[in-house]
Amino acid sequence: MAFEYAVLRVVPRVERAEFVNAGVIVYSQKADYLAAATHVDAGRLRALDPDADVDAIAAAVEAYARACTDAEAAGPVGATAIGERFRWLTAPRSTIVQPGPVHAGLTDDPAAELDRLLRRLVL
């Protein structure tokens, strides 16, 4: 079945456009699946910005993951279908936490794909 995914990036100094991958969001319409897995590497983050507030950034990244599976945590967009929520979560932003481009693929198991992508692209 088809799925889409986007990498969550942390851009601690937006003016420099340098980033660290910190999570992955996976969406499959056919499987009715939307989830994210995250990992903020403090060492990598501080290599880009020694003054980065790692705890605040980790909380912002985790908010993306909660918005995927917890409609209440997603706020007003939580009342929408998960496909619309995925589009909202992956819309371009000019903030410290930014979604990367959306990519597509095929999988039999979106949850396993999320784990594979997290290991390959973030950890």
Side-chain angles (χ1 to χ4, degrees):
M1 74 186 79
F3 76 97
E4 298 173 76
Y5 73 94
V7 175
L8 292 176
R9 300 171 172 174
V10 175
V11 187
R13 295 172 60 193
V14 176
E15 70 278 6
R16 291 183 57 120
E18 298 170 326
F19 63 86
V20 175
N21 292 345
V24 181
I25 302 171
V26 171
Y27 165 63
S28 172
Q29 180 180 8
K30 185 167 183 158
D32 195 34
Y33 181 86
L34 177 62
T38 65
H39 173 79
V40 175
D41 185 314
R44 287 181 185 175
L45 188 54
R46 288 206 172 102
L48 296 181
D49 183 359
D51 298 323
D53 186 340
V54 176
D55 291 336
I57 291 169
V61 170
E62 183 57 32
Y64 273 83
R66 281 194 319 277
C68 289
T69 56
D70 181 349
E72 190 172 310
V77 77
T80 65
I82 63 170
E84 292 177 64
R85 195 177 320 165
F86 176 74
R87 299 286 172 243
W88 180 80
L89 289 166
T90 58
R93 289 175 173 73
S94 296
T95 60
I96 289 176
V97 179
Q98 301 178 9
V102 174
H103 303 281
L106 297 172
T107 186
D108 292 325
D109 184 348
E113 197 64 39
L114 175 62
D115 183 59
R116 184 187 76 78
L117 289 168
L118 181 72
R119 285 184 281 109
R120 182 170 182 176
L121 303 174
V122 178
L123 300 179

